[in-house]
Coordinates of all heavy atoms in Angstrom, one line a residue:
M1 N -3.1 -22.5 13.1 CA -1.8 -22.3 12.5 C -1.7 -20.8 12.2 O -2.6 -20.2 11.6 CB -1.6 -23.1 11.3 CG -0.3 -22.8 10.5 SD 0.0 -23.8 9.1 CE -1.3 -23.4 8.0
V2 N -0.6 -20.2 12.5 CA -0.3 -18.8 12.2 C 0.6 -18.8 11.0 O 1.8 -19.3 11.1 CB 0.3 -18.0 13.4 CG1 0.6 -16.6 13.0 CG2 -0.6 -18.1 14.6
I3 N 0.2 -18.2 9.9 CA 1.0 -18.2 8.7 C 2.3 -17.5 8.8 O 3.3 -17.9 8.3 CB 0.2 -17.7 7.5 CG1 -1.0 -18.6 7.1 CG2 1.1 -17.5 6.2 CD1 -1.9 -18.1 6.0
G4 N 2.3 -16.4 9.6 CA 3.5 -15.6 9.8 C 4.6 -16.4 10.5 O 5.8 -16.0 10.4
Q5 N 4.3 -17.5 11.2 CA 5.3 -18.3 11.9 C 5.5 -19.6 11.2 O 6.2 -20.5 11.8 CB 4.8 -18.5 13.3 CG 4.6 -17.3 14.1 CD 4.0 -17.5 15.5 OE1 3.6 -18.6 15.8 NE2 4.0 -16.5 16.3
T6 N 5.0 -19.8 10.0 CA 5.1 -21.1 9.3 C 6.3 -21.1 8.4 O 6.5 -20.2 7.6 CB 3.8 -21.4 8.5 OG1 2.7 -21.3 9.4 CG2 3.9 -22.7 7.8
T7 N 7.2 -22.1 8.5 CA 8.3 -22.3 7.7 C 7.9 -23.0 6.4 O 8.3 -22.5 5.3 CB 9.5 -23.0 8.4 OG1 9.8 -22.4 9.6 CG2 10.7 -23.1 7.5
M8 N 7.3 -24.1 6.5 CA 6.9 -24.9 5.3 C 5.6 -25.7 5.7 O 5.6 -26.4 6.7 CB 8.0 -25.8 5.0 CG 7.9 -26.7 3.8 SD 9.3 -27.8 3.5 CE 10.7 -26.8 3.5
S9 N 4.6 -25.6 4.9 CA 3.4 -26.4 5.1 C 2.5 -26.5 3.9 O 2.6 -25.6 3.0 CB 2.6 -25.8 6.3 OG 2.0 -24.6 5.9
I10 N 1.7 -27.5 3.9 CA 0.6 -27.6 2.9 C -0.7 -27.4 3.7 O -0.9 -27.8 4.8 CB 0.6 -29.1 2.3 CG1 1.8 -29.3 1.6 CG2 -0.7 -29.3 1.5 CD1 1.9 -30.8 1.1
Y11 N -1.6 -26.6 3.1 CA -2.9 -26.3 3.7 C -4.0 -26.8 2.9 O -3.9 -26.9 1.6 CB -3.1 -24.9 4.1 CG -3.2 -24.0 2.9 CD1 -4.5 -23.8 2.3 CD2 -2.2 -23.3 2.3 CE1 -4.6 -23.0 1.2 CE2 -2.3 -22.5 1.3 CZ -3.5 -22.3 0.7 OH -3.7 -21.5 -0.4
I12 N -5.1 -27.2 3.5 CA -6.3 -27.6 2.8 C -7.5 -26.9 3.4 O -7.7 -26.8 4.6 CB -6.6 -29.1 3.1 CG1 -5.4 -30.0 2.6 CG2 -7.8 -29.6 2.3 CD1 -5.5 -31.4 3.0
I13 N -8.3 -26.3 2.5 CA -9.6 -25.6 2.9 C -10.7 -26.5 2.3 O -10.8 -26.7 1.1 CB -9.6 -24.2 2.3 CG1 -8.4 -23.4 2.9 CG2 -11.0 -23.5 2.7 CD1 -8.3 -22.0 2.3
W14 N -11.6 -26.9 3.2 CA -12.7 -27.7 2.8 C -14.0 -26.9 2.6 O -14.2 -25.9 3.4 CB -13.0 -28.8 3.8 CG -11.9 -29.8 4.0 CD1 -11.0 -29.7 5.0 CD2 -11.5 -30.8 3.2 NE1 -10.1 -30.7 4.9 CE2 -10.4 -31.4 3.7 CE3 -12.1 -31.4 2.0 CZ2 -9.8 -32.6 3.2 CZ3 -11.5 -32.5 1.5 CH2 -10.3 -33.0 2.0
K15 N -14.8 -27.2 1.6 CA -16.1 -26.6 1.4 C -17.0 -27.0 2.5 O -17.0 -28.2 2.9 CB -16.7 -26.9 0.1 CG -15.9 -26.5 -1.1 CD -16.5 -27.0 -2.4 CE -15.6 -26.6 -3.6 NZ -16.2 -27.1 -4.8
D16 N -17.9 -26.1 3.0 CA -18.9 -26.5 4.0 C -19.9 -27.5 3.3 O -20.4 -27.2 2.2 CB -19.7 -25.3 4.5 CG -18.8 -24.5 5.4 OD1 -17.9 -25.0 6.0 OD2 -19.1 -23.3 5.6
G17 N -20.1 -28.6 3.9 CA -21.1 -29.6 3.5 C -20.7 -30.4 2.2 O -21.5 -31.1 1.6
A18 N -19.4 -30.2 1.8 CA -19.0 -30.9 0.6 C -18.4 -32.3 1.0 O -18.1 -32.6 2.1 CB -17.9 -30.1 -0.1
D19 N -18.2 -33.1 0.0 CA -17.6 -34.4 0.2 C -16.2 -34.3 0.7 O -15.5 -33.3 0.4 CB -17.5 -35.2 -1.2 CG -18.9 -35.6 -1.7 OD1 -19.9 -35.6 -0.9 OD2 -19.0 -35.9 -2.9
A20 N -15.7 -35.2 1.4 CA -14.3 -35.2 1.9 C -13.3 -35.4 0.7 O -12.2 -35.1 0.9 CB -14.1 -36.3 2.9
E21 N -13.8 -35.7 -0.4 CA -13.0 -35.9 -1.6 C -12.6 -34.7 -2.3 O -11.6 -34.6 -3.0 CB -13.7 -36.9 -2.6 CG -14.0 -38.2 -2.0 CD -12.8 -39.1 -1.8 OE1 -11.9 -39.1 -2.6 OE2 -12.8 -39.8 -0.8
E22 N -13.4 -33.6 -2.1 CA -13.2 -32.4 -2.9 C -12.9 -31.2 -2.0 O -13.7 -30.5 -1.5 CB -14.4 -32.1 -3.7 CG -14.7 -33.2 -4.7 CD -16.0 -32.8 -5.5 OE1 -16.3 -31.6 -5.7 OE2 -16.6 -33.7 -6.0
P23 N -11.6 -30.8 -1.8 CA -11.3 -29.6 -1.1 C -11.5 -28.4 -1.9 O -11.4 -28.4 -3.1 CB -9.8 -29.8 -0.7 CG -9.2 -30.7 -1.8 CD -10.4 -31.6 -2.2
E24 N -11.8 -27.3 -1.3 CA -12.0 -26.0 -2.0 C -10.7 -25.5 -2.5 O -10.6 -24.9 -3.5 CB -12.7 -25.0 -1.0 CG -13.0 -23.7 -1.7 CD -13.8 -22.8 -0.8 OE1 -14.6 -23.3 0.0 OE2 -13.7 -21.6 -1.0
D25 N -9.7 -25.7 -1.6 CA -8.3 -25.1 -2.0 C -7.3 -26.0 -1.3 O -7.4 -26.4 -0.2 CB -8.2 -23.7 -1.6 CG -6.9 -23.0 -2.1 OD1 -6.3 -23.5 -3.0 OD2 -6.6 -21.9 -1.5
V26 N -6.2 -26.2 -2.0 CA -5.0 -26.8 -1.4 C -3.8 -25.9 -1.9 O -3.7 -25.5 -3.0 CB -4.8 -28.3 -2.0 CG1 -3.5 -28.8 -1.4 CG2 -5.9 -29.2 -1.6
G27 N -3.0 -25.6 -0.9 CA -1.8 -24.7 -1.3 C -0.6 -25.0 -0.4 O -0.6 -25.9 0.4
F28 N 0.4 -24.3 -0.7 CA 1.7 -24.5 -0.1 C 2.2 -23.1 0.5 O 2.2 -22.1 -0.2 CB 2.7 -25.1 -1.1 CG 4.0 -25.3 -0.5 CD1 4.2 -26.3 0.4 CD2 5.1 -24.6 -1.0 CE1 5.5 -26.5 0.9 CE2 6.4 -24.8 -0.5 CZ 6.6 -25.8 0.4
I29 N 2.7 -23.1 1.7 CA 3.3 -22.0 2.3 C 4.8 -22.2 2.5 O 5.2 -23.3 3.1 CB 2.6 -21.6 3.6 CG1 1.1 -21.3 3.4 CG2 3.3 -20.5 4.4 CD1 0.3 -21.2 4.6
L30 N 5.6 -21.3 2.1 CA 7.1 -21.4 2.3 C 7.6 -20.1 3.0 O 7.4 -19.0 2.4 CB 7.8 -21.6 1.0 CG 9.3 -21.7 0.9 CD1 9.7 -22.9 1.8 CD2 9.8 -21.8 -0.5
E31 N 8.1 -20.2 4.2 CA 8.6 -19.1 4.9 C 7.6 -18.0 5.0 O 7.9 -16.8 4.7 CB 9.9 -18.6 4.4 CG 11.0 -19.7 4.6 CD 12.4 -19.2 4.1 OE1 12.6 -18.1 3.8 OE2 13.3 -20.1 4.2
A32 N 6.4 -18.3 5.5 CA 5.3 -17.4 5.7 C 4.7 -16.7 4.5 O 3.9 -15.8 4.5 CB 5.7 -16.3 6.7
V33 N 5.0 -17.3 3.3 CA 4.5 -16.7 2.0 C 3.8 -17.9 1.3 O 4.3 -18.9 1.1 CB 5.6 -16.2 1.1 CG1 5.1 -15.7 -0.2 CG2 6.3 -15.0 1.8
E34 N 2.5 -17.6 0.9 CA 1.8 -18.6 0.1 C 2.4 -18.6 -1.3 O 2.3 -17.6 -2.1 CB 0.3 -18.2 0.0 CG -0.5 -19.2 -0.7 CD -2.0 -18.7 -0.8 OE1 -2.3 -17.5 -0.7 OE2 -2.8 -19.6 -0.9
V35 N 3.1 -19.7 -1.7 CA 3.7 -19.7 -3.0 C 2.9 -20.5 -4.0 O 3.2 -20.3 -5.2 CB 5.2 -20.3 -2.8 CG1 6.1 -19.4 -2.0 CG2 5.2 -21.7 -2.2
L36 N 2.1 -21.4 -3.6 CA 1.2 -22.1 -4.5 C -0.2 -22.2 -3.9 O -0.4 -22.3 -2.7 CB 1.7 -23.5 -4.8 CG 2.9 -23.7 -5.5 CD1 3.4 -25.2 -5.5 CD2 2.8 -23.3 -7.0
C37 N -1.2 -22.0 -4.7 CA -2.6 -22.2 -4.2 C -3.5 -22.7 -5.4 O -3.0 -22.9 -6.5 CB -3.2 -20.8 -3.8 SG -3.2 -19.6 -5.0
N38 N -4.7 -23.0 -5.0 CA -5.7 -23.6 -6.0 C -5.2 -24.9 -6.6 O -5.5 -25.1 -7.8 CB -6.0 -22.6 -7.1 CG -6.7 -21.4 -6.5 OD1 -7.5 -21.5 -5.6 ND2 -6.3 -20.2 -7.0
L39 N -4.5 -25.7 -5.9 CA -4.1 -27.0 -6.4 C -5.3 -27.9 -6.2 O -6.2 -27.7 -5.4 CB -2.9 -27.6 -5.6 CG -1.7 -26.7 -5.6 CD1 -0.6 -27.2 -4.6 CD2 -1.1 -26.6 -7.0
Q40 N -5.4 -29.0 -7.1 CA -6.6 -29.8 -7.2 C -6.7 -30.8 -6.1 O -7.8 -31.3 -5.8 CB -6.6 -30.5 -8.5 CG -6.7 -29.5 -9.7 CD -6.5 -30.2 -11.0 OE1 -6.0 -31.3 -11.1 NE2 -6.7 -29.5 -12.1
S41 N -5.6 -31.2 -5.4 CA -5.7 -32.3 -4.4 C -4.5 -32.2 -3.5 O -3.5 -31.6 -3.8 CB -5.7 -33.6 -5.1 OG -4.5 -33.9 -5.7
L42 N -4.6 -33.0 -2.4 CA -3.5 -33.1 -1.4 C -2.3 -33.8 -2.1 O -1.2 -33.4 -1.8 CB -4.0 -33.8 -0.2 CG -2.9 -34.0 0.9 CD1 -2.4 -32.7 1.4 CD2 -3.5 -34.8 2.1
T43 N -2.6 -34.8 -2.9 CA -1.5 -35.5 -3.6 C -0.7 -34.6 -4.5 O 0.5 -34.6 -4.5 CB -2.1 -36.6 -4.5 OG1 -2.9 -37.5 -3.7 CG2 -1.0 -37.4 -5.2
L44 N -1.4 -33.7 -5.2 CA -0.7 -32.7 -6.1 C 0.1 -31.8 -5.2 O 1.3 -31.4 -5.5 CB -1.7 -32.0 -7.0 CG -1.0 -30.9 -7.9 CD1 0.0 -31.6 -8.8 CD2 -2.1 -30.2 -8.7
G45 N -0.5 -31.3 -4.1 CA 0.2 -30.4 -3.2 C 1.5 -31.0 -2.6 O 2.5 -30.4 -2.5
F46 N 1.4 -32.3 -2.2 CA 2.5 -33.0 -1.7 C 3.6 -33.2 -2.7 O 4.8 -32.9 -2.4 CB 2.0 -34.4 -1.2 CG 3.1 -35.3 -0.6 CD1 3.5 -35.0 0.7 CD2 3.7 -36.3 -1.2 CE1 4.5 -35.8 1.3 CE2 4.7 -37.1 -0.7 CZ 5.0 -36.8 0.6
N47 N 3.2 -33.5 -3.9 CA 4.2 -33.6 -5.0 C 4.9 -32.3 -5.3 O 6.1 -32.2 -5.6 CB 3.6 -34.2 -6.2 CG 3.4 -35.7 -6.1 OD1 4.2 -36.4 -5.5 ND2 2.3 -36.2 -6.6
M48 N 4.1 -31.2 -5.3 CA 4.6 -29.9 -5.6 C 5.6 -29.5 -4.4 O 6.6 -28.8 -4.7 CB 3.5 -28.9 -5.7 CG 2.6 -29.1 -6.9 SD 3.5 -29.0 -8.5 CE 3.6 -27.2 -8.6
L49 N 5.2 -29.8 -3.2 CA 6.1 -29.6 -2.1 C 7.5 -30.2 -2.3 O 8.5 -29.5 -2.2 CB 5.5 -30.1 -0.8 CG 6.5 -30.2 0.4 CD1 6.9 -28.8 0.9 CD2 5.8 -30.9 1.6
F50 N 7.6 -31.4 -2.7 CA 8.8 -32.1 -3.0 C 9.5 -31.4 -4.2 O 10.7 -31.2 -4.2 CB 8.7 -33.6 -3.3 CG 8.8 -34.4 -2.0 CD1 7.7 -34.7 -1.3 CD2 10.0 -34.8 -1.5 CE1 7.8 -35.4 -0.1 CE2 10.1 -35.5 -0.4 CZ 9.0 -35.8 0.4
G51 N 8.8 -31.0 -5.2 CA 9.3 -30.3 -6.4 C 10.0 -29.0 -6.0 O 11.1 -28.7 -6.4
L52 N 9.3 -28.3 -5.1 CA 9.9 -27.0 -4.7 C 11.1 -27.2 -3.8 O 12.1 -26.5 -3.9 CB 8.8 -26.2 -3.9 CG 7.8 -25.5 -4.7 CD1 6.7 -24.9 -3.8 CD2 8.4 -24.4 -5.6
I53 N 11.1 -28.2 -2.9 CA 12.2 -28.5 -2.1 C 13.5 -28.8 -3.0 O 14.6 -28.3 -2.8 CB 12.0 -29.6 -1.1 CG1 11.0 -29.2 -0.1 CG2 13.3 -30.2 -0.5 CD1 10.5 -30.3 0.8
Y54 N 13.3 -29.6 -4.0 CA 14.4 -30.0 -4.9 C 14.8 -28.8 -5.8 O 15.9 -28.5 -6.0 CB 14.0 -31.2 -5.7 CG 14.2 -32.5 -5.0 CD1 13.1 -33.2 -4.6 CD2 15.4 -33.0 -4.6 CE1 13.2 -34.4 -3.8 CE2 15.6 -34.1 -3.9 CZ 14.5 -34.8 -3.5 OH 14.6 -36.0 -2.8
D55 N 13.8 -28.1 -6.4 CA 14.0 -27.1 -7.3 C 14.7 -25.9 -6.7 O 15.6 -25.3 -7.2 CB 12.7 -26.6 -8.0 CG 13.0 -25.8 -9.2 OD1 13.9 -26.1 -10.0 OD2 12.3 -24.8 -9.4
L56 N 14.3 -25.5 -5.5 CA 14.9 -24.4 -4.7 C 16.1 -24.8 -3.9 O 16.7 -24.0 -3.2 CB 13.9 -23.7 -3.9 CG 12.7 -23.1 -4.6 CD1 11.6 -22.6 -3.6 CD2 13.1 -22.0 -5.5
N57 N 16.5 -26.1 -4.0 CA 17.6 -26.7 -3.2 C 17.5 -26.4 -1.7 O 18.4 -25.9 -1.1 CB 18.9 -26.1 -3.8 CG 20.1 -27.0 -3.4 OD1 19.9 -28.2 -3.1 ND2 21.3 -26.4 -3.4
L58 N 16.3 -26.6 -1.2 CA 16.1 -26.4 0.2 C 16.4 -27.6 1.1 O 16.4 -28.7 0.6 CB 14.6 -26.1 0.5 CG 14.0 -24.9 -0.2 CD1 12.5 -24.8 0.0 CD2 14.7 -23.6 0.2
N59 N 16.8 -27.4 2.3 CA 17.0 -28.4 3.3 C 15.7 -28.8 3.9 O 14.8 -28.0 4.1 CB 18.0 -28.0 4.4 CG 19.4 -27.9 3.8 OD1 19.8 -28.6 2.9 ND2 20.1 -26.9 4.4
Y60 N 15.5 -30.1 4.2 CA 14.3 -30.5 5.0 C 14.3 -29.9 6.3 O 15.4 -29.6 6.9 CB 14.3 -32.0 5.1 CG 14.1 -32.8 3.9 CD1 14.8 -34.0 3.7 CD2 13.3 -32.4 2.9 CE1 14.7 -34.7 2.5 CE2 13.1 -33.1 1.7 CZ 13.8 -34.3 1.5 OH 13.6 -35.0 0.4
L61 N 13.2 -29.6 6.9 CA 13.1 -29.1 8.2 C 13.6 -30.1 9.2 O 13.4 -31.3 9.0 CB 11.6 -28.8 8.6 CG 10.9 -27.7 7.8 CD1 9.4 -27.7 8.2 CD2 11.6 -26.4 8.2
E62 N 14.4 -29.7 10.1 CA 15.0 -30.7 11.1 C 14.0 -31.6 11.8 O 14.2 -32.8 11.9 CB 15.9 -29.9 12.1 CG 16.8 -30.8 12.9 CD 17.8 -31.6 12.1 OE1 18.3 -31.0 11.1 OE2 18.1 -32.7 12.5
E63 N 12.9 -31.0 12.1 CA 11.8 -31.8 12.8 C 11.2 -32.8 11.9 O 10.7 -33.8 12.4 CB 10.7 -30.9 13.4 CG 11.2 -29.7 14.3 CD 11.5 -28.5 13.5 OE1 10.9 -28.2 12.4 OE2 12.5 -27.8 13.9
L64 N 11.2 -32.6 10.6 CA 10.6 -33.5 9.7 C 11.6 -34.2 8.8 O 11.2 -34.9 7.8 CB 9.6 -32.7 8.8 CG 8.4 -32.0 9.5 CD1 7.6 -31.2 8.6 CD2 7.6 -33.1 10.2
K65 N 12.8 -34.1 9.1 CA 13.8 -34.7 8.2 C 13.6 -36.2 8.0 O 13.6 -36.7 6.8 CB 15.2 -34.5 8.9 CG 16.4 -34.9 8.0 CD 17.7 -34.5 8.7 CE 18.9 -34.9 7.9 NZ 20.1 -34.5 8.5
C66 N 13.4 -37.0 9.0 CA 13.2 -38.4 8.9 C 11.9 -38.7 8.1 O 11.8 -39.6 7.3 CB 13.2 -39.1 10.2 SG 14.8 -39.0 11.0
T67 N 10.8 -37.9 8.4 CA 9.5 -38.1 7.7 C 9.7 -37.9 6.2 O 9.2 -38.8 5.4 CB 8.5 -37.2 8.2 OG1 8.4 -37.3 9.7 CG2 7.2 -37.3 7.6
F68 N 10.4 -36.9 5.8 CA 10.6 -36.6 4.4 C 11.4 -37.7 3.7 O 11.2 -38.1 2.6 CB 11.2 -35.2 4.2 CG 10.3 -34.1 4.2 CD1 10.4 -33.0 5.1 CD2 9.2 -34.0 3.4 CE1 9.6 -32.0 5.1 CE2 8.3 -33.0 3.4 CZ 8.5 -31.9 4.3
K69 N 12.4 -38.2 4.4 CA 13.3 -39.2 3.9 C 12.5 -40.5 3.7 O 12.7 -41.2 2.7 CB 14.5 -39.5 4.7 CG 15.5 -38.3 4.6 CD 16.8 -38.6 5.3 CE 17.8 -37.5 5.1 NZ 19.1 -37.8 5.5
V70 N 11.6 -40.8 4.6 CA 10.7 -42.0 4.4 C 9.8 -41.9 3.2 O 9.7 -42.8 2.4 CB 9.9 -42.3 5.7 CG1 8.8 -43.4 5.4 CG2 10.8 -42.8 6.8
F71 N 9.2 -40.7 3.1 CA 8.3 -40.4 1.9 C 9.1 -40.5 0.7 O 8.7 -41.1 -0.3 CB 7.7 -39.1 2.0 CG 6.6 -38.9 3.0 CD1 6.3 -37.7 3.6 CD2 5.8 -40.0 3.4 CE1 5.3 -37.6 4.6 CE2 4.8 -39.9 4.3 CZ 4.6 -38.7 4.9
Q72 N 10.3 -39.9 0.7 CA 11.2 -39.9 -0.5 C 11.6 -41.3 -0.9 O 11.5 -41.7 -2.1 CB 12.4 -39.1 -0.2 CG 13.4 -39.1 -1.3 CD 14.6 -38.2 -0.9 OE1 14.5 -37.2 -0.3 NE2 15.8 -38.7 -1.2
K73 N 11.9 -42.2 0.0 CA 12.4 -43.5 -0.3 C 11.3 -44.5 -0.6 O 11.4 -45.4 -1.5 CB 13.3 -44.0 0.8 CG 14.6 -43.3 0.8 CD 15.5 -43.8 1.9 CE 16.8 -43.0 1.9 NZ 17.8 -43.5 2.9
T74 N 10.2 -44.5 0.2 CA 9.1 -45.5 0.1 C 8.0 -45.1 -0.9 O 7.6 -45.9 -1.7 CB 8.5 -45.8 1.4 OG1 8.0 -44.7 2.0 CG2 9.6 -46.4 2.4
L75 N 7.5 -43.9 -0.8 CA 6.4 -43.5 -1.6 C 6.8 -43.0 -3.0 O 6.1 -43.3 -3.9 CB 5.6 -42.4 -0.9 CG 5.0 -42.7 0.5 CD1 4.3 -41.5 1.1 CD2 4.0 -43.9 0.4
M76 N 7.8 -42.3 -3.0 CA 8.2 -41.7 -4.3 C 9.3 -42.5 -5.0 O 9.7 -42.2 -6.2 CB 8.7 -40.3 -4.1 CG 7.6 -39.4 -3.5 SD 8.0 -37.7 -3.2 CE 7.8 -37.1 -4.9
E77 N 9.8 -43.5 -4.3 CA 10.9 -44.4 -4.9 C 12.1 -43.7 -5.4 O 12.6 -44.0 -6.5 CB 10.3 -45.4 -5.9 CG 9.2 -46.3 -5.3 CD 8.7 -47.3 -6.3 OE1 9.1 -47.2 -7.5 OE2 7.8 -48.1 -5.9
L78 N 12.5 -42.6 -4.7 CA 13.7 -41.9 -5.1 C 14.8 -42.5 -4.2 O 14.6 -43.2 -3.3 CB 13.5 -40.4 -4.8 CG 12.4 -39.7 -5.5 CD1 12.2 -38.3 -5.0 CD2 12.6 -39.7 -7.0
D79 N 16.0 -42.1 -4.6 CA 17.2 -42.5 -3.9 C 17.4 -44.0 -4.0 O 17.7 -44.7 -3.0 CB 17.1 -42.1 -2.4 CG 18.4 -42.2 -1.7 OD1 19.5 -41.9 -2.4 OD2 18.5 -42.4 -0.5
R80 N 17.2 -44.6 -5.2 CA 17.5 -46.0 -5.4 C 18.6 -46.2 -6.4 O 18.8 -45.5 -7.2 CB 16.2 -46.7 -5.9 CG 15.2 -46.8 -4.9 CD 14.0 -47.7 -5.4 NE 13.1 -47.9 -4.2 CZ 12.5 -48.9 -4.0 NH1 12.6 -50.0 -4.8 NH2 11.7 -49.0 -3.0

C-alpha cells in the first residue's frame, strides 16, 4: 500500500515473533495523512474510523459504501 495514494484506511503493524493478539501499532490514514496512531487494537481503530467519519461529516468511499452500511447497521446497531 502506498500511503500517498490512500484515501482512507486502517493499518496494523505486527511485532516480529509476537502473538497475533498484540499488534505493535494500529492507526488510521485519511487522505494520505496519518491522523491516528498507537491505537491498542483493531477494534479501537475500527471504532475510531467510524467516529472520524461521523465527526468530520465525511462520505463513505464509493467502493466501500455498502460494506460500511452493513457494519453500521449490524455490528454497531446504528440506524435503528
Side-chain angles (χ1 to χ4, degrees):
M1 172 178 67
V2 178
I3 293 175
Q5 298 174 353
T6 302
T7 304
M8 185 183 302
S9 69
I10 295 174
Y11 68 85
I12 303 171
I13 299 173
W14 297 100
K15 296 177 185 177
D16 286 338
D19 293 343
E21 301 289 322
E22 297 182 27
E24 185 173 332
D25 188 18
V26 176
F28 180 68
I29 297 170
L30 178 62
E31 295 185 3
V33 177
E34 183 180 29
V35 294
L36 291 172
C37 62
N38 298 320
L39 301 174
Q40 298 171 347
S41 67
L42 180 59
T43 304
L44 180 59
F46 183 76
N47 287 321
M48 295 298 284
L49 167 64
F50 271 93
L52 283 172
I53 289 171
Y54 281 108
D55 196 41
L56 299 174
N57 198 23
L58 301 175
N59 291 325
Y60 293 139
L61 295 173
E62 191 61 36
E63 305 87 36
L64 298 174
K65 185 176 181 179
C66 293
T67 303
F68 279 124
K69 286 188 177 188
V70 168
F71 287 151
Q72 175 181 321
K73 291 180 180 185
T74 59
L75 298 178
M76 301 180 81
E77 297 183 358
L78 300 173
D79 196 31
R80 286 188 177 217

